[in-house]
Amino acid sequence: MRLVLLGPPGAGKGTQATRIVDRFSIPQLSTGDMLREAVAEGTEQGLRVKHIMDRGELVPDDVVVSVVAGRIDHSDAANGFILDGFPRTVVQAEALDQELAARGIKLDAVLELEVDEDALLDRIRGRAEEAASRGEPVRPDDNPEVFETRLHVYREQTAPVTEYYRSKGLLNIVDGLQPIVVVTEQLAAALAALPSLQIRSEIQ
Ligand code: ADP
């Protein structure tokens, strides 16, 4: 099962992706995590993207596309994956389609978590405060000013990706303001209703 998880920053994509990973045994491919790893390792790519991420802006499309293309070729992604944080632009969505087509595969579904902006701002303040109170490092881009930039970038560059997938008939929207377990159940229900999965379970 090949999935994309969409939603604004702070919508709970990471939390839900982890829960989908457990339930469906497919890896979570988070471009944010992959890029933060490159930064932590101090690779050439990491050094190039660090300041962009710290400002809450988007890393260039070609960089992220090549990171994802390399990652989906790993053996653990052979039976599927859930992409978290990618695609974030229509250019990335088109590039993903091409990369998948070149491998003879395609997406089964796109799941979107819908959360309004006021709720997102509350959440992100909470996330930064909780991490600080546990003595954990706070992500450099989890402060209110940078978060405003991330929301702006989302509105301008990522929101059109929703329409891209809607027009392809792949989009499933779930209200991300509900309790975590309810969101997971609704995402799972959307997946259970997918025609591609029903055909597969009839074959088995
Ligand atoms: P969020 O909590 O906003 O969903 P992520 O962990 O997914 O954050 O991403 C953190 C940062 O990494 C982004 O603000 C951006 O700078 C960079 N990034 C992650 N994914 C992409 C992408 N697909 N395209 C461009 N930049 C990305």
Side-chain angles (χ1 to χ4, degrees):
M1 185 164 50
R2 297 177 181 91
L3 307 173
V4 162
L5 187 56
L6 290 180
K13 295 189 297 293
T15 304
Q16 293 299 332
T18 311
R19 297 172 68 89
I20 291 171
V21 164
D22 289 343
R23 198 178 281 217
F24 296 94
S25 305
I26 48 172
Q28 170 192 7
L29 311 189
S30 158
T31 43
D33 286 350
M34 292 183 231
L35 294 169
R36 275 187 291 276
E37 247 166 60
V39 170
E41 285 167 7
T43 63
E44 195 184 319
Q45 195 176 59
L47 294 176
R48 267 206 297 153
V49 301
K50 184 183 182 325
H51 63 283
I52 302 176
M53 295 175 71
D54 286 352
R55 286 201 302 264
E57 292 165 9
L58 292 187
V59 167
D61 289 329
D62 56 336
V63 173
V64 198
V65 168
S66 75
V67 168
V68 170
R71 184 64 186 82
I72 58 180
D73 287 333
H74 284 204
S75 56
D76 66 339
N79 292 324
F81 48 76
I82 179 159
L83 283 165
D84 161 14
F86 179 92
R88 257 178 160 91
T89 64
V90 171
V91 170
Q92 291 179 15
E94 288 167 348
L96 175 63
D97 281 345
Q98 283 169 15
E99 293 292 341
L100 296 180
R103 292 162 176 79
I105 52 182
K106 54 184 169 47
L107 292 175
D108 291 294
V110 174
L111 305 169
E112 175 161 323
L113 298 177
E114 203 171 43
V115 178
D116 69 53
E117 291 199 5
D118 288 342
L120 293 172
L121 282 166
D122 287 347
R123 278 190 184 180
I124 210 72
R125 280 191 203 104
R127 184 154 102 181
E129 279 165 18
E130 277 167 29
S133 71
R134 284 196 301 264
E136 293 169 7
V138 177
R139 263 171 56 174
D141 58 350
D142 266 358
N143 68 65
E145 295 77 47
V146 177
F147 192 73
E148 290 278 0
T149 306
R150 286 160 63 200
L151 271 183
H152 178 78
V153 166
Y154 178 81
R155 247 182 269 129
E156 299 290 313
Q157 301 190 59
T158 310
V161 174
T162 297
E163 295 315 313
Y164 179 84
Y165 287 126
R166 196 196 304 276
S167 72
K168 291 184 179 285
L170 286 170
L171 188 67
N172 297 270
I173 296 183
V174 167
D175 174 4
L177 274 179
Q178 305 173 97
I180 290 174
V181 289
V182 177
V183 174
T184 311
E185 285 318 312
Q186 294 193 355
L187 293 174
L191 295 178
L194 289 179
S196 57
L197 290 193
Q198 280 164 7
I199 293 164
R200 214 172 291 162
S201 57
E202 274 164 26
I203 294 168
Q204 279 165 0

PDB file of all heavy atoms in Angstrom, residues 4 65 68 72 83 86-87 90-108 110 164-165 167-168 170:
ATOM      1  N   VAL A   4       0.221   8.737   0.703  1.00  0.00           N
ATOM      2  CA  VAL A   4       0.761  10.062   1.014  1.00  0.00           C
ATOM      3  C   VAL A   4      -0.101  10.625   2.137  1.00  0.00           C
ATOM      4  O   VAL A   4      -1.328  10.511   2.105  1.00  0.00           O
ATOM      5  CB  VAL A   4       0.672  10.995  -0.223  1.00  0.00           C
ATOM      6  CG1 VAL A   4       0.807  12.460   0.187  1.00  0.00           C
ATOM      7  CG2 VAL A   4       1.756  10.657  -1.236  1.00  0.00           C
ATOM      8  N   VAL A  65      13.251  15.548  -3.901  1.00  0.00           N
ATOM      9  CA  VAL A  65      12.828  14.472  -4.806  1.00  0.00           C
ATOM     10  C   VAL A  65      13.907  13.396  -4.866  1.00  0.00           C
ATOM     11  O   VAL A  65      13.617  12.198  -4.808  1.00  0.00           O
ATOM     12  CB  VAL A  65      12.500  15.018  -6.216  1.00  0.00           C
ATOM     13  CG1 VAL A  65      12.338  13.881  -7.219  1.00  0.00           C
ATOM     14  CG2 VAL A  65      11.234  15.876  -6.167  1.00  0.00           C
ATOM     15  N   VAL A  68      13.844  11.279  -1.679  1.00  0.00           N
ATOM     16  CA  VAL A  68      12.709  10.349  -1.637  1.00  0.00           C
ATOM     17  C   VAL A  68      12.916   9.213  -2.643  1.00  0.00           C
ATOM     18  O   VAL A  68      12.695   8.038  -2.327  1.00  0.00           O
ATOM     19  CB  VAL A  68      11.381  11.091  -1.920  1.00  0.00           C
ATOM     20  CG1 VAL A  68      10.236  10.108  -2.110  1.00  0.00           C
ATOM     21  CG2 VAL A  68      11.065  12.045  -0.776  1.00  0.00           C
ATOM     22  N   ILE A  72      12.727   5.231  -1.610  1.00  0.00           N
ATOM     23  CA  ILE A  72      11.691   4.250  -1.964  1.00  0.00           C
ATOM     24  C   ILE A  72      12.290   3.005  -2.633  1.00  0.00           C
ATOM     25  O   ILE A  72      11.602   2.013  -2.787  1.00  0.00           O
ATOM     26  CB  ILE A  72      10.540   4.835  -2.847  1.00  0.00           C
ATOM     27  CG1 ILE A  72      11.066   5.427  -4.155  1.00  0.00           C
ATOM     28  CG2 ILE A  72       9.717   5.851  -2.086  1.00  0.00           C
ATOM     29  CD1 ILE A  72       9.935   6.005  -5.021  1.00  0.00           C
ATOM     30  N   LEU A  83       4.275   8.246   2.868  1.00  0.00           N
ATOM     31  CA  LEU A  83       5.089   9.455   2.742  1.00  0.00           C
ATOM     32  C   LEU A  83       4.514  10.539   3.643  1.00  0.00           C
ATOM     33  O   LEU A  83       3.327  10.849   3.579  1.00  0.00           O
ATOM     34  CB  LEU A  83       5.087   9.943   1.292  1.00  0.00           C
ATOM     35  CG  LEU A  83       5.981   9.162   0.341  1.00  0.00           C
ATOM     36  CD1 LEU A  83       5.621   9.473  -1.106  1.00  0.00           C
ATOM     37  CD2 LEU A  83       7.451   9.483   0.606  1.00  0.00           C
ATOM     38  N   PHE A  86       5.856  14.946   2.296  1.00  0.00           N
ATOM     39  CA  PHE A  86       6.186  14.948   0.864  1.00  0.00           C
ATOM     40  C   PHE A  86       5.030  14.327   0.104  1.00  0.00           C
ATOM     41  O   PHE A  86       4.517  13.297   0.554  1.00  0.00           O
ATOM     42  CB  PHE A  86       7.463  14.131   0.621  1.00  0.00           C
ATOM     43  CG  PHE A  86       7.867  14.067  -0.822  1.00  0.00           C
ATOM     44  CD1 PHE A  86       8.747  15.004  -1.351  1.00  0.00           C
ATOM     45  CD2 PHE A  86       7.359  13.082  -1.670  1.00  0.00           C
ATOM     46  CE1 PHE A  86       9.125  14.946  -2.693  1.00  0.00           C
ATOM     47  CE2 PHE A  86       7.716  13.031  -3.010  1.00  0.00           C
ATOM     48  CZ  PHE A  86       8.603  13.963  -3.514  1.00  0.00           C
ATOM     49  N   PRO A  87       4.594  14.890  -1.011  1.00  0.00           N
ATOM     50  CA  PRO A  87       5.071  16.112  -1.668  1.00  0.00           C
ATOM     51  C   PRO A  87       4.515  17.375  -1.005  1.00  0.00           C
ATOM     52  O   PRO A  87       3.428  17.371  -0.457  1.00  0.00           O
ATOM     53  CB  PRO A  87       4.531  15.971  -3.089  1.00  0.00           C
ATOM     54  CG  PRO A  87       3.308  15.125  -2.968  1.00  0.00           C
ATOM     55  CD  PRO A  87       3.541  14.194  -1.817  1.00  0.00           C
ATOM     56  N   VAL A  90       3.372  21.198  -5.968  1.00  0.00           N
ATOM     57  CA  VAL A  90       2.818  20.452  -7.108  1.00  0.00           C
ATOM     58  C   VAL A  90       3.963  19.873  -7.947  1.00  0.00           C
ATOM     59  O   VAL A  90       3.856  18.754  -8.464  1.00  0.00           O
ATOM     60  CB  VAL A  90       1.870  21.351  -7.935  1.00  0.00           C
ATOM     61  CG1 VAL A  90       1.459  20.660  -9.224  1.00  0.00           C
ATOM     62  CG2 VAL A  90       0.632  21.710  -7.107  1.00  0.00           C
ATOM     63  N   VAL A  91       5.073  20.597  -8.039  1.00  0.00           N
ATOM     64  CA  VAL A  91       6.233  20.073  -8.787  1.00  0.00           C
ATOM     65  C   VAL A  91       6.703  18.755  -8.172  1.00  0.00           C
ATOM     66  O   VAL A  91       7.001  17.779  -8.868  1.00  0.00           O
ATOM     67  CB  VAL A  91       7.386  21.115  -8.807  1.00  0.00           C
ATOM     68  CG1 VAL A  91       8.670  20.513  -9.351  1.00  0.00           C
ATOM     69  CG2 VAL A  91       6.980  22.328  -9.634  1.00  0.00           C
ATOM     70  N   GLN A  92       6.736  18.700  -6.830  1.00  0.00           N
ATOM     71  CA  GLN A  92       7.141  17.450  -6.157  1.00  0.00           C
ATOM     72  C   GLN A  92       6.119  16.340  -6.417  1.00  0.00           C
ATOM     73  O   GLN A  92       6.489  15.177  -6.601  1.00  0.00           O
ATOM     74  CB  GLN A  92       7.268  17.665  -4.646  1.00  0.00           C
ATOM     75  CG  GLN A  92       8.443  18.552  -4.251  1.00  0.00           C
ATOM     76  CD  GLN A  92       8.542  18.784  -2.741  1.00  0.00           C
ATOM     77  OE1 GLN A  92       7.925  18.084  -1.942  1.00  0.00           O
ATOM     78  NE2 GLN A  92       9.318  19.786  -2.354  1.00  0.00           N
ATOM     79  N   ALA A  93       4.830  16.706  -6.430  1.00  0.00           N
ATOM     80  CA  ALA A  93       3.786  15.694  -6.660  1.00  0.00           C
ATOM     81  C   ALA A  93       3.939  15.107  -8.065  1.00  0.00           C
ATOM     82  O   ALA A  93       3.822  13.891  -8.267  1.00  0.00           O
ATOM     83  CB  ALA A  93       2.407  16.316  -6.478  1.00  0.00           C
ATOM     84  N   GLU A  94       4.215  15.966  -9.038  1.00  0.00           N
ATOM     85  CA  GLU A  94       4.395  15.486 -10.414  1.00  0.00           C
ATOM     86  C   GLU A  94       5.651  14.619 -10.515  1.00  0.00           C
ATOM     87  O   GLU A  94       5.646  13.579 -11.176  1.00  0.00           O
ATOM     88  CB  GLU A  94       4.500  16.684 -11.375  1.00  0.00           C
ATOM     89  CG  GLU A  94       3.149  17.368 -11.553  1.00  0.00           C
ATOM     90  CD  GLU A  94       3.243  18.737 -12.248  1.00  0.00           C
ATOM     91  OE1 GLU A  94       4.374  19.271 -12.389  1.00  0.00           O
ATOM     92  OE2 GLU A  94       2.190  19.254 -12.635  1.00  0.00           O
ATOM     93  N   ALA A  95       6.718  15.052  -9.831  1.00  0.00           N
ATOM     94  CA  ALA A  95       7.961  14.272  -9.865  1.00  0.00           C
ATOM     95  C   ALA A  95       7.743  12.907  -9.214  1.00  0.00           C
ATOM     96  O   ALA A  95       8.257  11.890  -9.697  1.00  0.00           O
ATOM     97  CB  ALA A  95       9.081  15.026  -9.141  1.00  0.00           C
ATOM     98  N   LEU A  96       6.948  12.884  -8.128  1.00  0.00           N
ATOM     99  CA  LEU A  96       6.665  11.600  -7.470  1.00  0.00           C
ATOM    100  C   LEU A  96       5.939  10.670  -8.433  1.00  0.00           C
ATOM    101  O   LEU A  96       6.287   9.485  -8.555  1.00  0.00           O
ATOM    102  CB  LEU A  96       5.830  11.824  -6.205  1.00  0.00           C
ATOM    103  CG  LEU A  96       5.373  10.559  -5.489  1.00  0.00           C
ATOM    104  CD1 LEU A  96       6.556   9.742  -4.968  1.00  0.00           C
ATOM    105  CD2 LEU A  96       4.424  10.902  -4.327  1.00  0.00           C
ATOM    106  N   ASP A  97       4.942  11.189  -9.134  1.00  0.00           N
ATOM    107  CA  ASP A  97       4.217  10.368 -10.107  1.00  0.00           C
ATOM    108  C   ASP A  97       5.186   9.765 -11.126  1.00  0.00           C
ATOM    109  O   ASP A  97       5.079   8.597 -11.485  1.00  0.00           O
ATOM    110  CB  ASP A  97       3.170  11.209 -10.852  1.00  0.00           C
ATOM    111  CG  ASP A  97       1.914  11.410 -10.012  1.00  0.00           C
ATOM    112  OD1 ASP A  97       1.745  10.685  -9.009  1.00  0.00           O
ATOM    113  OD2 ASP A  97       1.097  12.292 -10.358  1.00  0.00           O
ATOM    114  N   GLN A  98       6.124  10.593 -11.582  1.00  0.00           N
ATOM    115  CA  GLN A  98       7.080  10.100 -12.588  1.00  0.00           C
ATOM    116  C   GLN A  98       7.999   9.024 -12.014  1.00  0.00           C
ATOM    117  O   GLN A  98       8.265   8.011 -12.655  1.00  0.00           O
ATOM    118  CB  GLN A  98       7.925  11.256 -13.120  1.00  0.00           C
ATOM    119  CG  GLN A  98       7.163  12.101 -14.126  1.00  0.00           C
ATOM    120  CD  GLN A  98       7.891  13.396 -14.456  1.00  0.00           C
ATOM    121  OE1 GLN A  98       9.076  13.547 -14.156  1.00  0.00           O
ATOM    122  NE2 GLN A  98       7.180  14.332 -15.050  1.00  0.00           N
ATOM    123  N   GLU A  99       8.477   9.274 -10.777  1.00  0.00           N
ATOM    124  CA  GLU A  99       9.373   8.287 -10.143  1.00  0.00           C
ATOM    125  C   GLU A  99       8.645   6.961  -9.951  1.00  0.00           C
ATOM    126  O   GLU A  99       9.210   5.894 -10.163  1.00  0.00           O
ATOM    127  CB  GLU A  99       9.881   8.794  -8.778  1.00  0.00           C
ATOM    128  CG  GLU A  99      10.803  10.004  -8.841  1.00  0.00           C
ATOM    129  CD  GLU A  99      12.156   9.696  -9.472  1.00  0.00           C
ATOM    130  OE1 GLU A  99      12.541   8.514  -9.544  1.00  0.00           O
ATOM    131  OE2 GLU A  99      12.834  10.643  -9.905  1.00  0.00           O
ATOM    132  N   LEU A 100       7.382   7.036  -9.532  1.00  0.00           N
ATOM    133  CA  LEU A 100       6.622   5.802  -9.302  1.00  0.00           C
ATOM    134  C   LEU A 100       6.336   5.109 -10.634  1.00  0.00           C
ATOM    135  O   LEU A 100       6.493   3.888 -10.758  1.00  0.00           O
ATOM    136  CB  LEU A 100       5.315   6.107  -8.553  1.00  0.00           C
ATOM    137  CG  LEU A 100       5.468   6.660  -7.130  1.00  0.00           C
ATOM    138  CD1 LEU A 100       4.102   6.925  -6.498  1.00  0.00           C
ATOM    139  CD2 LEU A 100       6.277   5.717  -6.238  1.00  0.00           C
ATOM    140  N   ALA A 101       5.934   5.901 -11.644  1.00  0.00           N
ATOM    141  CA  ALA A 101       5.626   5.316 -12.958  1.00  0.00           C
ATOM    142  C   ALA A 101       6.856   4.599 -13.515  1.00  0.00           C
ATOM    143  O   ALA A 101       6.742   3.510 -14.095  1.00  0.00           O
ATOM    144  CB  ALA A 101       5.139   6.401 -13.917  1.00  0.00           C
ATOM    145  N   ALA A 102       8.031   5.183 -13.301  1.00  0.00           N
ATOM    146  CA  ALA A 102       9.269   4.569 -13.806  1.00  0.00           C
ATOM    147  C   ALA A 102       9.509   3.217 -13.143  1.00  0.00           C
ATOM    148  O   ALA A 102      10.227   2.365 -13.681  1.00  0.00           O
ATOM    149  CB  ALA A 102      10.459   5.501 -13.545  1.00  0.00           C
ATOM    150  N   ARG A 103       8.911   3.017 -11.974  1.00  0.00           N
ATOM    151  CA  ARG A 103       9.072   1.739 -11.254  1.00  0.00           C
ATOM    152  C   ARG A 103       7.837   0.848 -11.442  1.00  0.00           C
ATOM    153  O   ARG A 103       7.708  -0.177 -10.771  1.00  0.00           O
ATOM    154  CB  ARG A 103       9.300   2.010  -9.759  1.00  0.00           C
ATOM    155  CG  ARG A 103      10.646   2.680  -9.465  1.00  0.00           C
ATOM    156  CD  ARG A 103      10.659   3.332  -8.086  1.00  0.00           C
ATOM    157  NE  ARG A 103      11.962   3.894  -7.749  1.00  0.00           N
ATOM    158  CZ  ARG A 103      12.441   5.060  -8.191  1.00  0.00           C
ATOM    159  NH1 ARG A 103      11.720   5.794  -9.023  1.00  0.00           N
ATOM    160  NH2 ARG A 103      13.639   5.491  -7.829  1.00  0.00           N
ATOM    161  N   GLY A 104       6.902   1.297 -12.281  1.00  0.00           N
ATOM    162  CA  GLY A 104       5.699   0.504 -12.550  1.00  0.00           C
ATOM    163  C   GLY A 104       4.733   0.441 -11.382  1.00  0.00           C
ATOM    164  O   GLY A 104       3.972  -0.513 -11.236  1.00  0.00           O
ATOM    165  N   ILE A 105       4.765   1.450 -10.507  1.00  0.00           N
ATOM    166  CA  ILE A 105       3.861   1.454  -9.345  1.00  0.00           C
ATOM    167  C   ILE A 105       3.129   2.798  -9.268  1.00  0.00           C
ATOM    168  O   ILE A 105       3.486   3.744  -9.975  1.00  0.00           O
ATOM    169  CB  ILE A 105       4.631   1.209  -8.008  1.00  0.00           C
ATOM    170  CG1 ILE A 105       5.813   2.177  -7.860  1.00  0.00           C
ATOM    171  CG2 ILE A 105       5.097  -0.225  -7.933  1.00  0.00           C
ATOM    172  CD1 ILE A 105       6.655   1.981  -6.612  1.00  0.00           C
ATOM    173  N   LYS A 106       2.072   2.856  -8.446  1.00  0.00           N
ATOM    174  CA  LYS A 106       1.404   4.145  -8.240  1.00  0.00           C
ATOM    175  C   LYS A 106       0.833   4.238  -6.841  1.00  0.00           C
ATOM    176  O   LYS A 106       0.783   3.234  -6.116  1.00  0.00           O
ATOM    177  CB  LYS A 106       0.352   4.408  -9.308  1.00  0.00           C
ATOM    178  CG  LYS A 106      -0.703   3.350  -9.508  1.00  0.00           C
ATOM    179  CD  LYS A 106      -1.562   3.817 -10.693  1.00  0.00           C
ATOM    180  CE  LYS A 106      -2.519   2.819 -11.254  1.00  0.00           C
ATOM    181  NZ  LYS A 106      -3.370   2.043 -10.485  1.00  0.00           N
ATOM    182  N   LEU A 107       0.388   5.432  -6.483  1.00  0.00           N
ATOM    183  CA  LEU A 107      -0.180   5.642  -5.148  1.00  0.00           C
ATOM    184  C   LEU A 107      -1.537   4.958  -5.049  1.00  0.00           C
ATOM    185  O   LEU A 107      -2.307   4.957  -6.008  1.00  0.00           O
ATOM    186  CB  LEU A 107      -0.364   7.143  -4.884  1.00  0.00           C
ATOM    187  CG  LEU A 107       0.906   7.977  -4.740  1.00  0.00           C
ATOM    188  CD1 LEU A 107       0.536   9.458  -4.607  1.00  0.00           C
ATOM    189  CD2 LEU A 107       1.722   7.521  -3.531  1.00  0.00           C
ATOM    190  N   ASP A 108      -1.830   4.421  -3.853  1.00  0.00           N
ATOM    191  CA  ASP A 108      -3.161   3.873  -3.600  1.00  0.00           C
ATOM    192  C   ASP A 108      -4.100   4.953  -3.086  1.00  0.00           C
ATOM    193  O   ASP A 108      -5.288   4.935  -3.384  1.00  0.00           O
ATOM    194  CB  ASP A 108      -3.082   2.750  -2.557  1.00  0.00           C
ATOM    195  CG  ASP A 108      -2.374   1.537  -3.126  1.00  0.00           C
ATOM    196  OD1 ASP A 108      -2.920   0.928  -4.051  1.00  0.00           O
ATOM    197  OD2 ASP A 108      -1.260   1.226  -2.657  1.00  0.00           O
ATOM    198  N   VAL A 110      -4.304   9.147  -0.945  1.00  0.00           N
ATOM    199  CA  VAL A 110      -3.741  10.310  -0.265  1.00  0.00           C
ATOM    200  C   VAL A 110      -4.667  10.616   0.906  1.00  0.00           C
ATOM    201  O   VAL A 110      -5.886  10.704   0.736  1.00  0.00           O
ATOM    202  CB  VAL A 110      -3.665  11.510  -1.235  1.00  0.00           C
ATOM    203  CG1 VAL A 110      -3.218  12.768  -0.502  1.00  0.00           C
ATOM    204  CG2 VAL A 110      -2.733  11.189  -2.391  1.00  0.00           C
ATOM    205  N   TYR A 164      -4.446  18.909  -6.554  1.00  0.00           N
ATOM    206  CA  TYR A 164      -3.785  18.001  -7.510  1.00  0.00           C
ATOM    207  C   TYR A 164      -4.299  16.576  -7.288  1.00  0.00           C
ATOM    208  O   TYR A 164      -4.691  15.887  -8.236  1.00  0.00           O
ATOM    209  CB  TYR A 164      -2.265  18.068  -7.297  1.00  0.00           C
ATOM    210  CG  TYR A 164      -1.456  17.158  -8.192  1.00  0.00           C
ATOM    211  CD1 TYR A 164      -1.100  17.557  -9.481  1.00  0.00           C
ATOM    212  CD2 TYR A 164      -1.048  15.905  -7.745  1.00  0.00           C
ATOM    213  CE1 TYR A 164      -0.353  16.713 -10.296  1.00  0.00           C
ATOM    214  CE2 TYR A 164      -0.303  15.067  -8.560  1.00  0.00           C
ATOM    215  CZ  TYR A 164       0.044  15.473  -9.829  1.00  0.00           C
ATOM    216  OH  TYR A 164       0.781  14.640 -10.642  1.00  0.00           O
ATOM    217  N   TYR A 165      -4.336  16.136  -6.024  1.00  0.00           N
ATOM    218  CA  TYR A 165      -4.764  14.763  -5.739  1.00  0.00           C
ATOM    219  C   TYR A 165      -6.280  14.611  -5.788  1.00  0.00           C
ATOM    220  O   TYR A 165      -6.788  13.548  -6.125  1.00  0.00           O
ATOM    221  CB  TYR A 165      -4.208  14.298  -4.393  1.00  0.00           C
ATOM    222  CG  TYR A 165      -2.726  14.010  -4.446  1.00  0.00           C
ATOM    223  CD1 TYR A 165      -1.839  14.604  -3.556  1.00  0.00           C
ATOM    224  CD2 TYR A 165      -2.210  13.139  -5.407  1.00  0.00           C
ATOM    225  CE1 TYR A 165      -0.473  14.342  -3.619  1.00  0.00           C
ATOM    226  CE2 TYR A 165      -0.847  12.878  -5.486  1.00  0.00           C
ATOM    227  CZ  TYR A 165       0.016  13.476  -4.586  1.00  0.00           C
ATOM    228  OH  TYR A 165       1.357  13.205  -4.669  1.00  0.00           O
ATOM    229  N   SER A 167      -8.173  16.046  -7.940  1.00  0.00           N
ATOM    230  CA  SER A 167      -8.522  15.889  -9.352  1.00  0.00           C
ATOM    231  C   SER A 167      -8.185  14.487  -9.850  1.00  0.00           C
ATOM    232  O   SER A 167      -8.723  14.032 -10.849  1.00  0.00           O
ATOM    233  CB  SER A 167      -7.818  16.954 -10.197  1.00  0.00           C
ATOM    234  OG  SER A 167      -6.445  16.648 -10.275  1.00  0.00           O
ATOM    235  N   LYS A 168      -7.303  13.803  -9.157  1.00  0.00           N
ATOM    236  CA  LYS A 168      -6.969  12.425  -9.548  1.00  0.00           C
ATOM    237  C   LYS A 168      -7.833  11.397  -8.823  1.00  0.00           C
ATOM    238  O   LYS A 168      -7.637  10.188  -8.968  1.00  0.00           O
ATOM    239  CB  LYS A 168      -5.490  12.144  -9.253  1.00  0.00           C
ATOM    240  CG  LYS A 168      -4.558  12.920 -10.163  1.00  0.00           C
ATOM    241  CD  LYS A 168      -3.110  12.567  -9.922  1.00  0.00           C
ATOM    242  CE  LYS A 168      -2.188  13.315 -10.853  1.00  0.00           C
ATOM    243  NZ  LYS A 168      -2.193  12.798 -12.228  1.00  0.00           N
ATOM    244  N   LEU A 170      -7.834  10.694  -5.664  1.00  0.00           N
ATOM    245  CA  LEU A 170      -7.096   9.931  -4.637  1.00  0.00           C
ATOM    246  C   LEU A 170      -7.303  10.466  -3.217  1.00  0.00           C
ATOM    247  O   LEU A 170      -6.886   9.851  -2.240  1.00  0.00           O
ATOM    248  CB  LEU A 170      -5.585   9.994  -4.944  1.00  0.00           C
ATOM    249  CG  LEU A 170      -5.081   9.155  -6.119  1.00  0.00           C
ATOM    250  CD1 LEU A 170      -3.626   9.507  -6.436  1.00  0.00           C
ATOM    251  CD2 LEU A 170      -5.203   7.672  -5.796  1.00  0.00           C
TER     252      LEU A 170
END
